Amino acid sequence: MVRVLFVCLGNICRSPMAEAIFTHHVAEAGLGDEVALDSAGTGSWHAGEEPHPGTRQALKRRGITFAHIARAVTADDFVSQDHLVAMDAANRADLLRLGCDPARVSMLLDYVPGMAGEDVPDPYYTGDFEHCYHLVDAGCRALLQRIRAHHAL
Ligand code: 4NP
């Protein structure tokens, strides 16, 4: 079982969107028993909340289901998760500051050719959940390819 945790700041906009989209692609690929998905925030302000209405709408529009309640990352995640996939450089820096092994940390757009090192802009501030959806979907498709190759799935 490969364990992937998507990480953003609040865990209500980008990372639950990534979790839902990735879960959708994993199921379509018939790999639901091989890959475990979750998401978390580096902050805990929104713990216990459903995804942001903008994220819910972007997912519903595509018929992608979701069932996540926001939570903060824990030290246990740094041991139990194989890949911690940050949405932006600040999330990545926070994970490293909290003690996560750098070898397990990446950024979602690192997997998209030509976009390595780029952030997924935070729609909580930009309001652009559609742009976010397209970036996250591109990242998730590329990440799944990488995981399939790396773990021989
Ligand atoms: P997210 O967006 O990190 O993509 O979930 C945010 C959600 C909430 C806040 C910031 C970003 N906030 O400051 O409450």
Side-chain angles (χ1 to χ4, degrees), residues 15-141:
S15 63
M17 185 187 288
E19 178 190 341
I21 294 172
F22 201 77
T23 299
H24 178 81
H25 291 316
V26 163
E28 274 197 336
L31 295 173
D33 293 338
E34 317 289 340
V35 185
L37 284 312
D38 196 0
S39 66
T42 57
S44 59
W45 314 281
H46 294 280
E49 294 180 17
E50 290 192 0
H52 189 286
T55 286
R56 297 208 302 260
Q57 193 184 0
L59 293 170
K60 280 183 182 165
R61 185 173 284 158
R62 279 97 181 172
I64 296 179
T65 55
F66 51 90
H68 183 76
I69 299 299
R71 71 173 181 88
V73 288
T74 66
D76 185 58
D77 290 319
F78 302 158
V79 181
S80 61
Q81 303 290 340
D82 299 301
H83 303 284
L84 290 96
V85 182
M87 296 298 130
D88 65 30
N91 308 146
R92 183 177 190 282
D94 284 340
L95 287 172
L96 298 178
R97 187 176 47 77
L98 291 168
C100 189
D101 175 3
R104 299 186 191 212
V105 183
S106 59
M107 295 207 300
L108 183 62
L109 296 182
D110 286 347
Y111 301 99
V112 180
M115 297 196 81
E118 291 194 29
D119 293 343
V120 177
D122 195 338
Y124 189 77
Y125 301 114
T126 67
D128 195 344
F129 285 84
E130 284 298 297
H131 180 55
C132 181
Y133 181 92
H134 290 296
L135 287 177
V136 170
D137 187 49
C140 285
R141 289 172 188 270

